[in-house]
Amino acid sequence: MLIQKLNDCEEIIAGDGTVLRELLHPDKQNINLRYSLAYAILPVGKTSIPHSLKTSEVYYIISGVGEMSINSEVRRVEPGDAVYIPPNAIQFLHNYGDEPIVFVCLVDPAWRKEDETIYAPV
């Protein structure tokens, strides 16, 4: 059994500028998963850096409100929303609310640096 504690995960600044803690990743733990799972925070007033992944991704919004942009389509996101991001889509998130946007990210297959492209900030 593996129970991963959020506070035991190293906090990093991801390539898109979000604060990230990687919870589960098959390359870092002895687990049989195709996907990786991370906990992320986008501070108030911030916009993540546009990026794309060769893989699919899902964001699940836990708290905060903002706008999600995927391939130039922009939609409001709020707690309880699950956002599907197709492979190779250019994406970013903007926090226009008064609290951080907290969300989990599921990447399938698991996230790899070589699968990510970072673009110029908005």
Side-chain angles (χ1 to χ4, degrees):
M1 177 186 301
L2 170 67
I3 298 175
Q4 185 64 49
K5 303 284 188 191
L6 179 64
N7 289 334
D8 291 342
C9 300
E10 177 186 7
E11 186 175 277
I12 63 167
I13 303 300
D16 69 354
T18 58
V19 178
L20 192 79
R21 291 179 189 248
E22 209 165 44
L23 289 162
L24 298 174
H25 196 293
D27 292 344
K28 297 181 179 179
Q29 294 142 327
N30 187 21
I31 52 178
N32 186 21
L33 289 179
R34 277 183 38 96
Y35 61 86
S36 58
L37 181 68
Y39 174 90
I41 299 173
L42 182 63
V44 173
K46 298 292 184 182
T47 301
S48 64
I49 298 169
H51 63 287
S52 63
L53 297 175
K54 291 180 182 176
T55 57
S56 63
E57 186 170 20
V58 173
Y59 284 4
Y60 179 76
I61 310 299
I62 297 169
S63 63
V65 296
E67 289 180 332
M68 184 79 211
S69 177
I70 301 173
N71 288 336
S72 301
E73 182 180 354
V74 178
R75 303 269 302 270
R76 176 186 162 89
V77 293
E78 59 188 31
D81 288 349
V83 180
Y84 170 71
I85 304 159
N88 300 306
I90 297 174
Q91 57 163 302
F92 61 91
L93 180 61
H94 172 68
N95 184 341
Y96 62 70
D98 57 7
E99 65 178 302
I101 296 176
V102 177
F103 58 107
V104 292
C105 312
L106 188 143
V107 178
D108 183 35
W111 182 90
R112 298 179 323 156
K113 184 176 182 65
E114 57 268 26
D115 291 341
E116 183 171 43
T117 301
I118 304 294
Y119 302 97
V122 206

